[in-house]
């Protein structure tokens, strides 16, 4: 039986509409929510991501400022820029687009962002809060996956969720969110033995490996929900980490790429920025 394709565009459109209404309500109370994005260098994918974020903010009535720094900027220049945004009371959310050029120390920069403006949820304070079950900013992509599961009424409690990938941006926070929602969680990665056998046990399978069409039909339990977080460029086309054609014959639910999780990520960024603005207003 063919899988139900989870339509990230329409779910995200509803969430963006809610964000727009909330932004309007804040503006009517004299607060203009404001996201500052720091973009270093010329990475082509990053340019596209940042443009999409700017456009989404504009549509939602959220102010966005993009601070562009040259490819050869120094660590000190980048850190000064982040410090200035921390101190700028008009800025509610700060996002440093990753990856940074190789000569820059990413961890040191992320550590510097004010955790209360860290709308990406990458600061150790926010990952610690997530780990401890405390309120804080949660990374947008895994948060978007949880919203997508909710939107389609996919039960999580007591289910076996397998996350393939252990990045700080997706895999680890994804596992924490699923655990917080009472799933039984297994994290797999490039060194996992018998990966296909483990993946086949999943009721919810999240692919965040960064390898095109890595998850094939033989790795999926019939009827499982398969969430594809991958964005890979192959011969000019964007493909996910899941072999869509094969897996769609086996899975119960499946997110497409594009048009799946990617749309949710931006909607969550808007939601986090609004939260940051509201938190400041308190
Ligand atoms: N690069 C790829 N995804 C992301 C993201 O969600 N946030 C940031 N800051 N950089 C990214």
């Amino acid at each position: 039986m063919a899988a139900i394709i989870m339509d990230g565009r329409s779910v995200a459109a509803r969430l963006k509409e809610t964000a727009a209404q909330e932004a309007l309500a804040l503006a009517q109370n004299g607060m203009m929510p404001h996201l500052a994005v720091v973009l270093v260098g010329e990475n082509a994918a990053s340019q596209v991501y940042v443009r999409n974020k700017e456009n989404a903010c504009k549509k939602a009535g959220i102010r966005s400022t993009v601070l562009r720094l040259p490819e050869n900027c120094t660590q000190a220049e980048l850190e000064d820029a982040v410090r200035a945004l921390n101190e700028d009371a008009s800025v509610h959310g700060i996002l440093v687009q990753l990856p940074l050029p190789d000569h820059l120390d990413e961890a040191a920069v992320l550590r510097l962002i004010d955790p209360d403006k860290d709308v990406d949820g990458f600061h150790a304070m926010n990952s610690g809060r997530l780990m401890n079950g405390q309120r804080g900013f949660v990374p947008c992509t895994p948060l978007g996956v949880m919203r997508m599961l909710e939107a389609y009424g996919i039960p999580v409690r007591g289910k076996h969720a397998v996350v393939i990938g252990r990045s700080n941006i997706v895999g680890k926070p994804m596992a924490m969110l699923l655990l917080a929602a009472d799933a039984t969680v297994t994290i797999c990665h490039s060194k996992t033995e018998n990966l296909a056998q483990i993946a086949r046990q999943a009721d919810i399978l999240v692919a965040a490996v960064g390898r095109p069409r890595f998850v094939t039909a033989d790795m999926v339990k019939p009827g499982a929900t398969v969430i594809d977080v991958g964005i890979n460029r192959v011969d000019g086309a964007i493909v996910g980490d899941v072999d869509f054609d094969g897996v769609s014959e086996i899975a119960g639910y499946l997110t497409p790429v594009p048009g799946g999780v990617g749309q949710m990520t931006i909607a969550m960024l808007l939601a986090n920025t609004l939260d940051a603005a509201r938190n400041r207003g308190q």
Side-chain angles (χ1 to χ4, degrees), residues 48-112:
V48 174
Y49 291 142
V50 168
R51 196 173 331 120
N52 290 343
K53 289 170 187 178
E54 274 184 284
N55 287 341
C57 281
K58 196 169 178 184
K59 267 195 175 160
I62 293 173
R63 182 180 165 201
S64 70
T65 305
V66 180
L67 185 63
R68 290 186 166 77
L69 296 174
E71 185 83 27
N72 62 356
C73 94
T74 65
Q75 183 76 20
E77 284 166 341
L78 176 55
E79 292 190 1
D80 282 349
V82 171
R83 275 193 205 94
L85 294 172
N86 282 343
E87 283 161 21
D88 184 340
S90 81
V91 170
H92 302 104
I94 301 171
L95 180 159
V96 176
Q97 186 66 30
L98 304 178
L100 292 173
D102 286 345
H103 68 283
L104 296 170
D105 181 346
E106 201 164 280
V109 174
L110 296 180
R111 219 167 26 236
L112 208 60

Side-chain angles (χ1 to χ4, degrees), residues 37-38 46 49 53 94-99 110 120 122 139-141 169-170 231 265 269:
V37 178
V38 180
S46 291
Y49 291 142
K53 289 170 187 178
I94 301 171
L95 180 159
V96 176
Q97 186 66 30
L98 304 178
L110 296 180
D120 252 337
F122 294 168
C140 300
T141 299
I169 295 182
V170 182
I231 301 179
T265 298
L269 176 63

